[in-house]
Amino acid sequence: MKKTAVFPGSFDPFTIGHESIIRRALPLFDEIIIMIGYNSNKRAFYPLSKRKEWIKKVFVDEPKIRVGKYEGLTVDYCRKVHAQYILRGLRTAADFEYERAIGQINKKMHNEIETVFLLTLPEHTAISSTIVRDILRHKGDASQFLPCCLDISEFLDEPEEF
Ligand code: ADP
């Protein structure tokens, strides 16, 4: 059976930390669907269409990657796309505690879906979308934290209404 993993997140914006987890997970799965979760009540910094376009650009040469969007529970999306795995990255003990609870509850709800965790590379531990967003918001240079194929000037555009 085809092994499909969903990598859920807000990716606002997508960073080299996200990219690294996905590239390292590629040998483990036949397909990875990067799922951009969205919440109509929550205002995002970058519009969904931009986030999707950037992620597609990063993985343009990678046939195992698909990019999707979803509003709702990650487990429901997994069932919809027939994914058996949820992929998550772990940076810190705080990440672990947060992810442990969600992973255990997801397992209780849908026993057939397993959450797989990869530890972040040490050099990516401090990188978060929140910090990168703050740098960009204040017109700082965040290029070293963004995937190299992305044109940094695109990130400097004033974000539109989500
Ligand atoms: P969420 O809003 O669900 O936390 P994010 O877009 O922040 O979504 O992150 C999606 C996934 O990527 C999560 O599993 C998160 O732990 C992981 N991640 C985020 N930043 C990094 C990083 N610097 N290194 C490794 N994994 C990361």
Side-chain angles (χ1 to χ4, degrees):
M1 194 173 47
K2 186 162 127 176
K3 283 192 272 179
T4 301
V6 163
F7 185 59
S10 30
F11 310 115
D12 192 20
F14 194 78
T15 69
I16 54 169
H18 299 127
E19 182 187 7
S20 160
I21 293 288
I22 291 168
R23 292 205 189 277
R24 287 167 55 210
L26 275 173
L28 305 177
F29 303 105
D30 298 307
E31 177 180 50
I32 298 177
I33 305 174
I34 303 170
M35 182 201 89
I36 311 176
Y38 66 98
N39 180 341
S40 45
N41 297 317
K42 204 172 131 190
R43 194 181 181 281
F45 191 63
Y46 289 106
L48 188 70
S49 57
K50 266 281 166 209
R51 283 180 275 156
K52 194 169 178 186
E53 183 191 312
W54 286 330
I55 297 171
K56 280 187 160 179
K57 211 165 172 182
V58 174
F59 296 108
V60 68
D61 295 323
E62 186 42 74
K64 281 185 178 183
I65 302 277
R66 270 169 55 198
V67 187
K69 59 177 172 124
Y70 197 66
E71 180 171 22
L73 295 177
T74 303
V75 281
D76 289 340
Y77 181 75
C78 289
R79 284 159 72 95
K80 188 173 154 222
V81 297
H82 307 292
Q84 311 93 325
Y85 303 96
I86 296 173
L87 173 66
R88 296 290 286 174
L90 289 180
R91 286 164 293 189
T92 60
D95 268 1
F96 171 75
E97 277 307 320
Y98 176 74
E99 296 292 343
R100 181 187 56 75
I102 295 176
Q104 288 173 335
I105 295 295
N106 281 344
K107 177 82 180 154
K108 268 281 185 205
M109 291 199 301
H110 295 288
N111 188 44
E112 73 284 6
I113 301 172
E114 294 289 354
T115 306
V116 175
F117 298 103
L118 287 188
L119 292 177
T120 186
L121 297 180
E123 61 269 34
H124 293 160
T125 305
I127 303 172
S128 69
S129 294
T130 310
I131 295 177
V132 171
R133 223 167 32 234
D134 271 350
I135 298 172
L136 294 166
R137 186 183 282 128
H138 296 102
K139 311 273 183 246
D141 180 5
S143 55
Q144 63 179 312
F145 309 119
L146 298 169
C148 60
C149 72
L150 296 181
D151 175 7
I152 180 77
S153 62
E154 287 194 58
F155 286 87
L156 298 175
D157 291 346
E158 214 45 52
E160 304 151 29
E161 196 72 39
F162 177 55

